[in-house]
């Protein structure tokens, strides 16, 4: 859940209980994991193995 969303809910509805559904939690986790994977791939040295080099 974004900080902006939490702040808006707390400001507009101070007594409300903020909940997050399972789908959006998993979606956020997948986005973060993909970003980590892309960053790790971009930072690692590129090594290409050929089958005939083994």
């Amino acid at each position: 859940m974004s900080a902006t969303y939490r702040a808006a809910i707390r400001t507009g509805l101070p007594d409300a209980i903020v909940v997050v559904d399972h789908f959006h939690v998993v979606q956020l986790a997948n986005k973060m994991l993909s970003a980590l994977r892309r960053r790790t791939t971009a930072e690692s040295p590129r090594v290409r193995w050929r089958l005939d080099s083994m």
Side-chain angles (χ1 to χ4, degrees):
M1 172 184 328
S2 72
T4 305
Y5 174 77
R6 280 193 308 258
I9 293 299
R10 287 188 179 140
T11 301
L13 304 166
D15 297 328
I17 297 172
V18 180
V19 297
V20 181
D21 63 297
H22 176 76
F23 172 80
H24 288 99
V25 171
V26 172
Q27 181 184 43
L28 179 60
N30 282 328
K31 284 182 181 180
M32 300 306 290
L33 186 59
S34 291
L36 174 64
R37 179 187 51 79
R38 283 194 289 287
R39 188 173 65 240
T40 303
T41 301
E43 292 173 355
S44 66
R46 304 240 177 204
V47 177
R48 295 184 181 237
W49 295 97
R50 295 178 47 182
L51 291 176
D52 61 349
S53 66
M54 293 180 164

